[in-house]
Amino acid sequence: MIQELTESYGSIFEKDLINEIVQVGTFKEVPEGYKLIEIGDYIKGMPLLISGAIKILREDNDGDELLLYYLEKGDTCSMTLACCMGDSKSEIRAITETDSKLIMVPMQKMEEWTVKYKSWRNFVFNSYHERLNELLSTLDSIAFDKMDARLISYLKEKARINKGDIINNTHQEIAYELHSSRVVISRLLKKLEQMGSIELHRNYIKILDL
């Protein structure tokens, strides 16, 4: 575990902090689609992502989801941090986008390390800053971009996260994550196919030229 942790966070954390994380952290290897955090759960630990990707989603009163942002190698979730520090229930859902490896850090260590290690303090503040910028970008997209532009951005980001040109999502799943309807998404995907940008298949989409 220490080798993988050092490869992902060695340039961020000092050696003493790396050693403490190894001592108290819980290593997890989880498959694609695994639900790490559910809305309404009390969060007892904070994930440090070693490899893979995690998508962070919100849910409205009707149960419809909205994709907020992705976490990748070397990231953590600032909304998880806020719930841990405040001992409050989670307001987000975290699901692995790809097979992932992570270390869960116990909640009680967070305040201690914020005082003890400057690198941890900087990491926490930088995480808040980065996630806030991503949330603002999502908000701007919803407020100012048309759905076709949002869909193209979504497909590009999915392809980047999964490191390939195949997107294994149904039209309904895409609609959920973009907080739209399946009919609208299917129509826009068909338009992109007619333009030669994608190929539509039964349970996946192939990116050609976006």
Side-chain angles (χ1 to χ4, degrees), residues 117-166:
Y117 296 110
K118 182 180 179 181
S119 64
W120 178 263
R121 189 163 59 248
N122 289 340
F123 176 67
V124 169
F125 290 151
N126 286 338
S127 295
Y128 275 120
H129 178 69
E130 290 172 9
R131 301 293 87 79
L132 176 61
N133 284 340
E134 287 171 333
L135 285 172
L136 290 174
S137 178
T138 299
L139 182 61
D140 286 346
S141 175
I142 294 170
F144 305 121
D145 289 347
K146 292 182 179 179
M147 183 53 69
D148 55 352
R150 289 180 60 203
L151 177 59
I152 290 171
S153 295
Y154 170 90
L155 294 173
K156 286 181 177 179
E157 184 69 354
K158 275 275 189 178
R160 186 187 70 79
I161 290 289
N162 287 280
K163 298 179 174 63
D165 58 3
I166 301 298

mmCIF file of all heavy atoms in Angstrom, residues 117-166:
data_model
loop_
_atom_site.group_PDB
_atom_site.id
_atom_site.type_symbol
_atom_site.label_atom_id
_atom_site.label_comp_id
_atom_site.label_asym_id
_atom_site.label_seq_id
_atom_site.Cartn_x
_atom_site.Cartn_y
_atom_site.Cartn_z
ATOM 1 N N TYR A 117 0.277 18.851 10.055
ATOM 2 C CA TYR A 117 0.996 18.794 8.773
ATOM 3 C C TYR A 117 0.538 19.914 7.834
ATOM 4 O O TYR A 117 -0.632 19.982 7.452
ATOM 5 C CB TYR A 117 0.759 17.448 8.085
ATOM 6 C CG TYR A 117 1.306 16.259 8.825
ATOM 7 C CD1 TYR A 117 0.446 15.337 9.429
ATOM 8 C CD2 TYR A 117 2.684 16.039 8.926
ATOM 9 C CE1 TYR A 117 0.942 14.240 10.111
ATOM 10 C CE2 TYR A 117 3.187 14.947 9.603
ATOM 11 C CZ TYR A 117 2.313 14.039 10.195
ATOM 12 O OH TYR A 117 2.806 12.956 10.871
ATOM 13 N N LYS A 118 1.479 20.743 7.450
ATOM 14 C CA LYS A 118 1.166 21.822 6.503
ATOM 15 C C LYS A 118 0.721 21.253 5.162
ATOM 16 O O LYS A 118 -0.187 21.794 4.515
ATOM 17 C CB LYS A 118 2.392 22.709 6.306
ATOM 18 C CG LYS A 118 2.144 23.891 5.375
ATOM 19 C CD LYS A 118 3.398 24.741 5.206
ATOM 20 C CE LYS A 118 3.141 25.895 4.248
ATOM 21 N NZ LYS A 118 4.356 26.718 4.039
ATOM 22 N N SER A 119 1.321 20.147 4.723
ATOM 23 C CA SER A 119 0.982 19.557 3.428
ATOM 24 C C SER A 119 -0.465 19.074 3.414
ATOM 25 O O SER A 119 -1.161 19.194 2.397
ATOM 26 C CB SER A 119 1.925 18.394 3.102
ATOM 27 O OG SER A 119 1.767 17.337 4.035
ATOM 28 N N TRP A 120 -0.939 18.523 4.538
ATOM 29 C CA TRP A 120 -2.334 18.079 4.615
ATOM 30 C C TRP A 120 -3.283 19.282 4.574
ATOM 31 O O TRP A 120 -4.294 19.257 3.886
ATOM 32 C CB TRP A 120 -2.562 17.269 5.895
ATOM 33 C CG TRP A 120 -3.983 16.807 6.069
ATOM 34 C CD1 TRP A 120 -4.963 17.401 6.814
ATOM 35 C CD2 TRP A 120 -4.601 15.669 5.452
ATOM 36 N NE1 TRP A 120 -6.140 16.701 6.718
ATOM 37 C CE2 TRP A 120 -5.950 15.639 5.881
ATOM 38 C CE3 TRP A 120 -4.140 14.676 4.583
ATOM 39 C CZ2 TRP A 120 -6.842 14.645 5.475
ATOM 40 C CZ3 TRP A 120 -5.024 13.692 4.178
ATOM 41 C CH2 TRP A 120 -6.358 13.687 4.624
ATOM 42 N N ARG A 121 -2.913 20.317 5.311
ATOM 43 C CA ARG A 121 -3.725 21.543 5.335
ATOM 44 C C ARG A 121 -3.839 22.127 3.929
ATOM 45 O O ARG A 121 -4.931 22.497 3.479
ATOM 46 C CB ARG A 121 -3.103 22.542 6.305
ATOM 47 C CG ARG A 121 -3.959 23.771 6.595
ATOM 48 C CD ARG A 121 -3.478 24.484 7.858
ATOM 49 N NE ARG A 121 -2.096 24.931 7.773
ATOM 50 C CZ ARG A 121 -1.098 24.410 8.498
ATOM 51 N NH1 ARG A 121 -1.334 23.436 9.361
ATOM 52 N NH2 ARG A 121 0.131 24.862 8.375
ATOM 53 N N ASN A 122 -2.714 22.211 3.212
ATOM 54 C CA ASN A 122 -2.723 22.737 1.847
ATOM 55 C C ASN A 122 -3.551 21.848 0.918
ATOM 56 O O ASN A 122 -4.285 22.336 0.048
ATOM 57 C CB ASN A 122 -1.293 22.853 1.309
ATOM 58 C CG ASN A 122 -0.507 23.961 1.980
ATOM 59 O OD1 ASN A 122 -1.081 24.876 2.569
ATOM 60 N ND2 ASN A 122 0.816 23.871 1.912
ATOM 61 N N PHE A 123 -3.440 20.540 1.113
ATOM 62 C CA PHE A 123 -4.187 19.583 0.303
ATOM 63 C C PHE A 123 -5.690 19.775 0.478
ATOM 64 O O PHE A 123 -6.454 19.780 -0.501
ATOM 65 C CB PHE A 123 -3.780 18.160 0.692
ATOM 66 C CG PHE A 123 -4.560 17.071 -0.001
ATOM 67 C CD1 PHE A 123 -4.432 16.861 -1.370
ATOM 68 C CD2 PHE A 123 -5.416 16.252 0.720
ATOM 69 C CE1 PHE A 123 -5.145 15.847 -2.000
ATOM 70 C CE2 PHE A 123 -6.131 15.235 0.097
ATOM 71 C CZ PHE A 123 -5.994 15.035 -1.264
ATOM 72 N N VAL A 124 -6.128 19.949 1.723
ATOM 73 C CA VAL A 124 -7.547 20.153 2.018
ATOM 74 C C VAL A 124 -8.045 21.447 1.374
ATOM 75 O O VAL A 124 -9.085 21.470 0.704
ATOM 76 C CB VAL A 124 -7.795 20.171 3.536
ATOM 77 C CG1 VAL A 124 -9.218 20.655 3.851
ATOM 78 C CG2 VAL A 124 -7.571 18.789 4.126
ATOM 79 N N PHE A 125 -7.297 22.543 1.547
ATOM 80 C CA PHE A 125 -7.718 23.830 0.980
ATOM 81 C C PHE A 125 -7.732 23.781 -0.548
ATOM 82 O O PHE A 125 -8.651 24.314 -1.188
ATOM 83 C CB PHE A 125 -6.790 24.952 1.469
ATOM 84 C CG PHE A 125 -6.952 25.272 2.925
ATOM 85 C CD1 PHE A 125 -5.877 25.768 3.662
ATOM 86 C CD2 PHE A 125 -8.164 25.080 3.577
ATOM 87 C CE1 PHE A 125 -6.023 26.063 5.014
ATOM 88 C CE2 PHE A 125 -8.313 25.373 4.922
ATOM 89 C CZ PHE A 125 -7.244 25.863 5.643
ATOM 90 N N ASN A 126 -6.709 23.146 -1.139
ATOM 91 C CA ASN A 126 -6.663 23.033 -2.603
ATOM 92 C C ASN A 126 -7.824 22.191 -3.124
ATOM 93 O O ASN A 126 -8.380 22.476 -4.195
ATOM 94 C CB ASN A 126 -5.332 22.417 -3.043
ATOM 95 C CG ASN A 126 -4.176 23.382 -2.919
ATOM 96 O OD1 ASN A 126 -4.372 24.594 -2.893
ATOM 97 N ND2 ASN A 126 -2.958 22.860 -2.819
ATOM 98 N N SER A 127 -8.187 21.147 -2.375
ATOM 99 C CA SER A 127 -9.316 20.299 -2.769
ATOM 100 C C SER A 127 -10.610 21.091 -2.771
ATOM 101 O O SER A 127 -11.423 20.979 -3.706
ATOM 102 C CB SER A 127 -9.440 19.093 -1.833
ATOM 103 O OG SER A 127 -8.322 18.246 -1.946
ATOM 104 N N TYR A 128 -10.815 21.895 -1.726
ATOM 105 C CA TYR A 128 -12.000 22.759 -1.692
ATOM 106 C C TYR A 128 -12.025 23.684 -2.905
ATOM 107 O O TYR A 128 -13.066 23.860 -3.552
ATOM 108 C CB TYR A 128 -12.015 23.600 -0.410
ATOM 109 C CG TYR A 128 -12.620 22.915 0.784
ATOM 110 C CD1 TYR A 128 -11.877 22.691 1.941
ATOM 111 C CD2 TYR A 128 -13.954 22.500 0.786
ATOM 112 C CE1 TYR A 128 -12.431 22.059 3.042
ATOM 113 C CE2 TYR A 128 -14.508 21.875 1.890
ATOM 114 C CZ TYR A 128 -13.745 21.658 3.015
ATOM 115 O OH TYR A 128 -14.297 21.033 4.101
ATOM 116 N N HIS A 129 -10.879 24.281 -3.198
ATOM 117 C CA HIS A 129 -10.788 25.239 -4.311
ATOM 118 C C HIS A 129 -11.090 24.562 -5.650
ATOM 119 O O HIS A 129 -11.880 25.080 -6.462
ATOM 120 C CB HIS A 129 -9.390 25.851 -4.331
ATOM 121 C CG HIS A 129 -9.161 26.824 -5.459
ATOM 122 N ND1 HIS A 129 -9.776 28.048 -5.524
ATOM 123 C CD2 HIS A 129 -8.398 26.713 -6.583
ATOM 124 C CE1 HIS A 129 -9.401 28.677 -6.622
ATOM 125 N NE2 HIS A 129 -8.577 27.883 -7.279
ATOM 126 N N GLU A 130 -10.485 23.391 -5.894
ATOM 127 C CA GLU A 130 -10.675 22.695 -7.159
ATOM 128 C C GLU A 130 -12.116 22.221 -7.336
ATOM 129 O O GLU A 130 -12.707 22.355 -8.407
ATOM 130 C CB GLU A 130 -9.711 21.504 -7.246
ATOM 131 C CG GLU A 130 -8.260 21.919 -7.418
ATOM 132 C CD GLU A 130 -7.313 20.746 -7.302
ATOM 133 O OE1 GLU A 130 -7.812 19.589 -7.259
ATOM 134 O OE2 GLU A 130 -6.095 20.962 -7.247
ATOM 135 N N ARG A 131 -12.681 21.646 -6.267
ATOM 136 C CA ARG A 131 -14.063 21.159 -6.366
ATOM 137 C C ARG A 131 -15.037 22.321 -6.536
ATOM 138 O O ARG A 131 -16.038 22.200 -7.237
ATOM 139 C CB ARG A 131 -14.433 20.336 -5.137
ATOM 140 C CG ARG A 131 -13.589 19.101 -4.856
ATOM 141 C CD ARG A 131 -13.737 18.003 -5.895
ATOM 142 N NE ARG A 131 -12.829 18.149 -7.023
ATOM 143 C CZ ARG A 131 -11.529 17.810 -6.989
ATOM 144 N NH1 ARG A 131 -10.986 17.334 -5.881
ATOM 145 N NH2 ARG A 131 -10.787 17.943 -8.059
ATOM 146 N N LEU A 132 -14.767 23.455 -5.879
ATOM 147 C CA LEU A 132 -15.633 24.623 -6.040
ATOM 148 C C LEU A 132 -15.617 25.095 -7.487
ATOM 149 O O LEU A 132 -16.674 25.409 -8.065
ATOM 150 C CB LEU A 132 -15.185 25.753 -5.110
ATOM 151 C CG LEU A 132 -15.958 27.082 -5.246
ATOM 152 C CD1 LEU A 132 -17.444 26.875 -4.933
ATOM 153 C CD2 LEU A 132 -15.367 28.142 -4.321
ATOM 154 N N ASN A 133 -14.440 25.130 -8.098
ATOM 155 C CA ASN A 133 -14.346 25.530 -9.506
ATOM 156 C C ASN A 133 -15.109 24.561 -10.402
ATOM 157 O O ASN A 133 -15.763 24.982 -11.369
ATOM 158 C CB ASN A 133 -12.882 25.594 -9.935
ATOM 159 C CG ASN A 133 -12.181 26.840 -9.418
ATOM 160 O OD1 ASN A 133 -12.831 27.816 -9.073
ATOM 161 N ND2 ASN A 133 -10.859 26.801 -9.359
ATOM 162 N N GLU A 134 -15.044 23.270 -10.092
ATOM 163 C CA GLU A 134 -15.772 22.283 -10.887
ATOM 164 C C GLU A 134 -17.282 22.440 -10.714
ATOM 165 O O GLU A 134 -18.040 22.295 -11.668
ATOM 166 C CB GLU A 134 -15.322 20.872 -10.500
ATOM 167 C CG GLU A 134 -13.923 20.543 -11.009
ATOM 168 C CD GLU A 134 -13.387 19.249 -10.460
ATOM 169 O OE1 GLU A 134 -13.794 18.851 -9.345
ATOM 170 O OE2 GLU A 134 -12.558 18.625 -11.129
ATOM 171 N N LEU A 135 -17.711 22.737 -9.485
ATOM 172 C CA LEU A 135 -19.136 22.965 -9.240
ATOM 173 C C LEU A 135 -19.625 24.207 -9.986
ATOM 174 O O LEU A 135 -20.719 24.218 -10.551
ATOM 175 C CB LEU A 135 -19.401 23.116 -7.743
ATOM 176 C CG LEU A 135 -19.354 21.837 -6.915
ATOM 177 C CD1 LEU A 135 -19.431 22.168 -5.420
ATOM 178 C CD2 LEU A 135 -20.495 20.905 -7.289
ATOM 179 N N LEU A 136 -18.811 25.258 -9.984
ATOM 180 C CA LEU A 136 -19.173 26.477 -10.715
ATOM 181 C C LEU A 136 -19.248 26.209 -12.213
ATOM 182 O O LEU A 136 -20.117 26.740 -12.905
ATOM 183 C CB LEU A 136 -18.167 27.592 -10.414
ATOM 184 C CG LEU A 136 -18.206 28.175 -8.998
ATOM 185 C CD1 LEU A 136 -17.065 29.171 -8.799
ATOM 186 C CD2 LEU A 136 -19.548 28.851 -8.732
ATOM 187 N N SER A 137 -18.340 25.379 -12.708
ATOM 188 C CA SER A 137 -18.359 25.014 -14.125
ATOM 189 C C SER A 137 -19.641 24.246 -14.473
ATOM 190 O O SER A 137 -20.267 24.495 -15.511
ATOM 191 C CB SER A 137 -17.133 24.163 -14.458
ATOM 192 O OG SER A 137 -17.152 23.758 -15.809
ATOM 193 N N THR A 138 -20.037 23.330 -13.574
ATOM 194 C CA THR A 138 -21.288 22.589 -13.773
ATOM 195 C C THR A 138 -22.480 23.530 -13.754
ATOM 196 O O THR A 138 -23.391 23.430 -14.591
ATOM 197 C CB THR A 138 -21.461 21.520 -12.673
ATOM 198 O OG1 THR A 138 -20.366 20.595 -12.739
ATOM 199 C CG2 THR A 138 -22.766 20.756 -12.845
ATOM 200 N N LEU A 139 -22.478 24.464 -12.806
ATOM 201 C CA LEU A 139 -23.564 25.429 -12.698
ATOM 202 C C LEU A 139 -23.642 26.308 -13.944
ATOM 203 O O LEU A 139 -24.730 26.553 -14.489
ATOM 204 C CB LEU A 139 -23.368 26.298 -11.449
ATOM 205 C CG LEU A 139 -24.444 27.347 -11.155
ATOM 206 C CD1 LEU A 139 -25.789 26.672 -10.933
ATOM 207 C CD2 LEU A 139 -24.059 28.179 -9.932
ATOM 208 N N ASP A 140 -22.485 26.773 -14.414
ATOM 209 C CA ASP A 140 -22.452 27.586 -15.637
ATOM 210 C C ASP A 140 -22.998 26.802 -16.833
ATOM 211 O O ASP A 140 -23.733 27.346 -17.671
ATOM 212 C CB ASP A 140 -21.017 28.030 -15.948
ATOM 213 C CG ASP A 140 -20.539 29.136 -15.018
ATOM 214 O OD1 ASP A 140 -21.382 29.726 -14.321
ATOM 215 O OD2 ASP A 140 -19.317 29.388 -14.988
ATOM 216 N N SER A 141 -22.627 25.516 -16.904
ATOM 217 C CA SER A 141 -23.087 24.681 -18.010
ATOM 218 C C SER A 141 -24.605 24.548 -18.004
ATOM 219 O O SER A 141 -25.251 24.676 -19.048
ATOM 220 C CB SER A 141 -22.437 23.296 -17.899
ATOM 221 O OG SER A 141 -22.952 22.425 -18.880
ATOM 222 N N ILE A 142 -25.178 24.321 -16.817
ATOM 223 C CA ILE A 142 -26.633 24.181 -16.704
ATOM 224 C C ILE A 142 -27.331 25.493 -17.040
ATOM 225 O O ILE A 142 -28.358 25.522 -17.727
ATOM 226 C CB ILE A 142 -27.015 23.722 -15.281
ATOM 227 C CG1 ILE A 142 -26.492 22.300 -15.039
ATOM 228 C CG2 ILE A 142 -28.525 23.766 -15.076
ATOM 229 C CD1 ILE A 142 -26.604 21.859 -13.603
ATOM 230 N N ALA A 143 -26.757 26.604 -16.550
ATOM 231 C CA ALA A 143 -27.405 27.910 -16.698
ATOM 232 C C ALA A 143 -27.264 28.492 -18.103
ATOM 233 O O ALA A 143 -28.192 29.125 -18.611
ATOM 234 C CB ALA A 143 -26.834 28.883 -15.672
ATOM 235 N N PHE A 144 -26.112 28.269 -18.747
ATOM 236 C CA PHE A 144 -25.817 29.001 -19.969
ATOM 237 C C PHE A 144 -25.672 28.141 -21.232
ATOM 238 O O PHE A 144 -25.794 28.660 -22.340
ATOM 239 C CB PHE A 144 -24.532 29.818 -19.781
ATOM 240 C CG PHE A 144 -24.579 30.743 -18.595
ATOM 241 C CD1 PHE A 144 -23.646 30.630 -17.569
ATOM 242 C CD2 PHE A 144 -25.561 31.716 -18.492
ATOM 243 C CE1 PHE A 144 -23.687 31.479 -16.469
ATOM 244 C CE2 PHE A 144 -25.602 32.564 -17.396
ATOM 245 C CZ PHE A 144 -24.669 32.447 -16.379
ATOM 246 N N ASP A 145 -25.383 26.827 -21.078
ATOM 247 C CA ASP A 145 -25.166 25.999 -22.255
ATOM 248 C C ASP A 145 -26.445 25.282 -22.669
ATOM 249 O O ASP A 145 -27.247 24.888 -21.825
ATOM 250 C CB ASP A 145 -24.084 24.938 -21.980
ATOM 251 C CG ASP A 145 -22.699 25.544 -21.861
ATOM 252 O OD1 ASP A 145 -22.545 26.724 -22.226
ATOM 253 O OD2 ASP A 145 -21.789 24.840 -21.406
ATOM 254 N N LYS A 146 -26.609 25.097 -23.966
ATOM 255 C CA LYS A 146 -27.715 24.295 -24.459
ATOM 256 C C LYS A 146 -27.404 22.818 -24.195
ATOM 257 O O LYS A 146 -26.248 22.432 -24.022
ATOM 258 C CB LYS A 146 -27.910 24.539 -25.949
ATOM 259 C CG LYS A 146 -28.405 25.944 -26.277
ATOM 260 C CD LYS A 146 -28.620 26.107 -27.773
ATOM 261 C CE LYS A 146 -29.138 27.501 -28.109
ATOM 262 N NZ LYS A 146 -29.342 27.684 -29.569
ATOM 263 N N MET A 147 -28.435 21.980 -24.203
ATOM 264 C CA MET A 147 -28.256 20.575 -23.871
ATOM 265 C C MET A 147 -27.307 19.874 -24.834
ATOM 266 O O MET A 147 -26.548 18.984 -24.427
ATOM 267 C CB MET A 147 -29.608 19.861 -23.817
ATOM 268 C CG MET A 147 -29.523 18.385 -23.413
ATOM 269 S SD MET A 147 -28.623 18.099 -21.863
ATOM 270 C CE MET A 147 -29.784 18.811 -20.692
ATOM 271 N N ASP A 148 -27.309 20.264 -26.123
ATOM 272 C CA ASP A 148 -26.400 19.593 -27.052
ATOM 273 C C ASP A 148 -24.938 19.854 -26.689
ATOM 274 O O ASP A 148 -24.097 18.949 -26.759
ATOM 275 C CB ASP A 148 -26.692 19.980 -28.501
ATOM 276 C CG ASP A 148 -26.670 21.482 -28.742
ATOM 277 O OD1 ASP A 148 -26.581 22.254 -27.768
ATOM 278 O OD2 ASP A 148 -26.761 21.888 -29.919
ATOM 279 N N ALA A 149 -24.627 21.079 -26.250
ATOM 280 C CA ALA A 149 -23.263 21.407 -25.836
ATOM 281 C C ALA A 149 -22.897 20.664 -24.555
ATOM 282 O O ALA A 149 -21.772 20.180 -24.398
ATOM 283 C CB ALA A 149 -23.121 22.916 -25.623
ATOM 284 N N ARG A 150 -23.851 20.552 -23.628
ATOM 285 C CA ARG A 150 -23.618 19.812 -22.386
ATOM 286 C C ARG A 150 -23.371 18.337 -22.664
ATOM 287 O O ARG A 150 -22.506 17.708 -22.056
ATOM 288 C CB ARG A 150 -24.806 19.964 -21.435
ATOM 289 C CG ARG A 150 -24.940 21.355 -20.821
ATOM 290 C CD ARG A 150 -26.143 21.414 -19.903
ATOM 291 N NE ARG A 150 -26.026 20.451 -18.817
ATOM 292 C CZ ARG A 150 -27.055 19.962 -18.119
ATOM 293 N NH1 ARG A 150 -28.280 20.341 -18.410
ATOM 294 N NH2 ARG A 150 -26.849 19.107 -17.147
ATOM 295 N N LEU A 151 -24.128 17.790 -23.606
ATOM 296 C CA LEU A 151 -23.980 16.381 -23.952
ATOM 297 C C LEU A 151 -22.610 16.106 -24.564
ATOM 298 O O LEU A 151 -21.948 15.121 -24.212
ATOM 299 C CB LEU A 151 -25.086 15.964 -24.924
ATOM 300 C CG LEU A 151 -25.035 14.523 -25.443
ATOM 301 C CD1 LEU A 151 -25.111 13.520 -24.294
ATOM 302 C CD2 LEU A 151 -26.162 14.270 -26.447
ATOM 303 N N ILE A 152 -22.160 16.966 -25.455
ATOM 304 C CA ILE A 152 -20.842 16.795 -26.067
ATOM 305 C C ILE A 152 -19.746 16.864 -25.005
ATOM 306 O O ILE A 152 -18.824 16.035 -24.987
ATOM 307 C CB ILE A 152 -20.615 17.847 -27.170
ATOM 308 C CG1 ILE A 152 -21.527 17.550 -28.371
ATOM 309 C CG2 ILE A 152 -19.153 17.872 -27.615
ATOM 310 C CD1 ILE A 152 -21.544 18.642 -29.421
ATOM 311 N N SER A 153 -19.841 17.824 -24.101
ATOM 312 C CA SER A 153 -18.866 17.940 -23.014
ATOM 313 C C SER A 153 -18.872 16.691 -22.142
ATOM 314 O O SER A 153 -17.817 16.200 -21.721
ATOM 315 C CB SER A 153 -19.163 19.172 -22.155
ATOM 316 O OG SER A 153 -18.998 20.353 -22.897
ATOM 317 N N TYR A 154 -20.071 16.197 -21.864
ATOM 318 C CA TYR A 154 -20.222 14.988 -21.050
ATOM 319 C C TYR A 154 -19.539 13.790 -21.725
ATOM 320 O O TYR A 154 -18.790 13.039 -21.081
ATOM 321 C CB TYR A 154 -21.707 14.708 -20.848
ATOM 322 C CG TYR A 154 -22.045 13.369 -20.235
ATOM 323 C CD1 TYR A 154 -22.150 13.217 -18.854
ATOM 324 C CD2 TYR A 154 -22.281 12.254 -21.034
ATOM 325 C CE1 TYR A 154 -22.465 11.990 -18.292
ATOM 326 C CE2 TYR A 154 -22.595 11.023 -20.477
ATOM 327 C CZ TYR A 154 -22.695 10.893 -19.109
ATOM 328 O OH TYR A 154 -23.002 9.683 -18.557
ATOM 329 N N LEU A 155 -19.778 13.604 -23.028
ATOM 330 C CA LEU A 155 -19.195 12.478 -23.750
ATOM 331 C C LEU A 155 -17.671 12.579 -23.805
ATOM 332 O O LEU A 155 -16.961 11.579 -23.641
ATOM 333 C CB LEU A 155 -19.767 12.414 -25.166
ATOM 334 C CG LEU A 155 -21.273 12.096 -25.279
ATOM 335 C CD1 LEU A 155 -21.730 12.227 -26.723
ATOM 336 C CD2 LEU A 155 -21.590 10.711 -24.739
ATOM 337 N N LYS A 156 -17.162 13.770 -24.032
ATOM 338 C CA LYS A 156 -15.708 13.977 -24.059
ATOM 339 C C LYS A 156 -15.080 13.652 -22.710
ATOM 340 O O LYS A 156 -14.031 12.998 -22.629
ATOM 341 C CB LYS A 156 -15.390 15.433 -24.434
ATOM 342 C CG LYS A 156 -15.597 15.772 -25.891
ATOM 343 C CD LYS A 156 -15.241 17.231 -26.145
ATOM 344 C CE LYS A 156 -15.355 17.591 -27.612
ATOM 345 N NZ LYS A 156 -15.028 19.014 -27.848
ATOM 346 N N GLU A 157 -15.728 14.102 -21.627
ATOM 347 C CA GLU A 157 -15.191 13.859 -20.291
ATOM 348 C C GLU A 157 -15.258 12.367 -19.945
ATOM 349 O O GLU A 157 -14.333 11.818 -19.347
ATOM 350 C CB GLU A 157 -15.969 14.687 -19.259
ATOM 351 C CG GLU A 157 -15.455 14.592 -17.831
ATOM 352 C CD GLU A 157 -14.095 15.244 -17.615
ATOM 353 O OE1 GLU A 157 -13.473 15.687 -18.605
ATOM 354 O OE2 GLU A 157 -13.646 15.287 -16.472
ATOM 355 N N LYS A 158 -16.344 11.709 -20.323
ATOM 356 C CA LYS A 158 -16.466 10.266 -20.107
ATOM 357 C C LYS A 158 -15.344 9.516 -20.815
ATOM 358 O O LYS A 158 -14.731 8.601 -20.249
ATOM 359 C CB LYS A 158 -17.813 9.773 -20.638
ATOM 360 C CG LYS A 158 -18.966 9.910 -19.674
ATOM 361 C CD LYS A 158 -19.030 8.711 -18.743
ATOM 362 C CE LYS A 158 -20.306 8.726 -17.931
ATOM 363 N NZ LYS A 158 -20.412 7.547 -17.051
ATOM 364 N N ALA A 159 -15.080 9.892 -22.058
ATOM 365 C CA ALA A 159 -14.027 9.239 -22.831
ATOM 366 C C ALA A 159 -12.657 9.480 -22.191
ATOM 367 O O ALA A 159 -11.823 8.570 -22.113
ATOM 368 C CB ALA A 159 -14.040 9.750 -24.271
ATOM 369 N N ARG A 160 -12.439 10.698 -21.712
ATOM 370 C CA ARG A 160 -11.151 11.014 -21.062
ATOM 371 C C ARG A 160 -10.981 10.211 -19.780
ATOM 372 O O ARG A 160 -9.917 9.627 -19.539
ATOM 373 C CB ARG A 160 -11.088 12.512 -20.756
ATOM 374 C CG ARG A 160 -9.734 12.969 -20.211
ATOM 375 C CD ARG A 160 -9.778 14.412 -19.770
ATOM 376 N NE ARG A 160 -10.584 14.596 -18.578
ATOM 377 C CZ ARG A 160 -10.161 14.323 -17.330
ATOM 378 N NH1 ARG A 160 -8.949 13.846 -17.128
ATOM 379 N NH2 ARG A 160 -10.954 14.528 -16.301
ATOM 380 N N ILE A 161 -12.029 10.176 -18.949
ATOM 381 C CA ILE A 161 -11.957 9.470 -17.673
ATOM 382 C C ILE A 161 -11.704 7.975 -17.892
ATOM 383 O O ILE A 161 -10.917 7.348 -17.170
ATOM 384 C CB ILE A 161 -13.268 9.671 -16.874
ATOM 385 C CG1 ILE A 161 -13.386 11.122 -16.372
ATOM 386 C CG2 ILE A 161 -13.361 8.697 -15.699
ATOM 387 C CD1 ILE A 161 -12.439 11.487 -15.274
ATOM 388 N N ASN A 162 -12.388 7.409 -18.896
ATOM 389 C CA ASN A 162 -12.273 5.977 -19.149
ATOM 390 C C ASN A 162 -11.117 5.607 -20.070
ATOM 391 O O ASN A 162 -10.912 4.435 -20.367
ATOM 392 C CB ASN A 162 -13.587 5.452 -19.733
ATOM 393 C CG ASN A 162 -14.691 5.374 -18.700
ATOM 394 O OD1 ASN A 162 -14.754 4.440 -17.914
ATOM 395 N ND2 ASN A 162 -15.568 6.382 -18.673
ATOM 396 N N LYS A 163 -10.393 6.632 -20.546
ATOM 397 C CA LYS A 163 -9.201 6.439 -21.372
ATOM 398 C C LYS A 163 -9.495 5.571 -22.604
ATOM 399 O O LYS A 163 -8.777 4.614 -22.914
ATOM 400 C CB LYS A 163 -8.059 5.820 -20.543
ATOM 401 C CG LYS A 163 -7.596 6.700 -19.386
ATOM 402 C CD LYS A 163 -6.488 6.027 -18.603
ATOM 403 C CE LYS A 163 -5.920 6.970 -17.539
ATOM 404 N NZ LYS A 163 -6.908 7.350 -16.528
ATOM 405 N N GLY A 164 -10.580 5.897 -23.298
ATOM 406 C CA GLY A 164 -10.935 5.151 -24.493
ATOM 407 C C GLY A 164 -12.088 5.830 -25.218
ATOM 408 O O GLY A 164 -12.627 6.836 -24.758
ATOM 409 N N ASP A 165 -12.456 5.265 -26.361
ATOM 410 C CA ASP A 165 -13.511 5.886 -27.171
ATOM 411 C C ASP A 165 -14.860 5.173 -27.030
ATOM 412 O O ASP A 165 -15.802 5.468 -27.756
ATOM 413 C CB ASP A 165 -13.098 5.942 -28.650
ATOM 414 C CG ASP A 165 -12.783 4.559 -29.224
ATOM 415 O OD1 ASP A 165 -12.932 3.551 -28.498
ATOM 416 O OD2 ASP A 165 -12.384 4.489 -30.402
ATOM 417 N N ILE A 166 -14.960 4.222 -26.090
ATOM 418 C CA ILE A 166 -16.207 3.498 -25.847
ATOM 419 C C ILE A 166 -16.834 3.979 -24.541
ATOM 420 O O ILE A 166 -16.174 4.011 -23.495
ATOM 421 C CB ILE A 166 -15.982 1.980 -25.774
ATOM 422 C CG1 ILE A 166 -15.371 1.467 -27.082
ATOM 423 C CG2 ILE A 166 -17.295 1.253 -25.471
ATOM 424 C CD1 ILE A 166 -16.237 1.665 -28.297
#
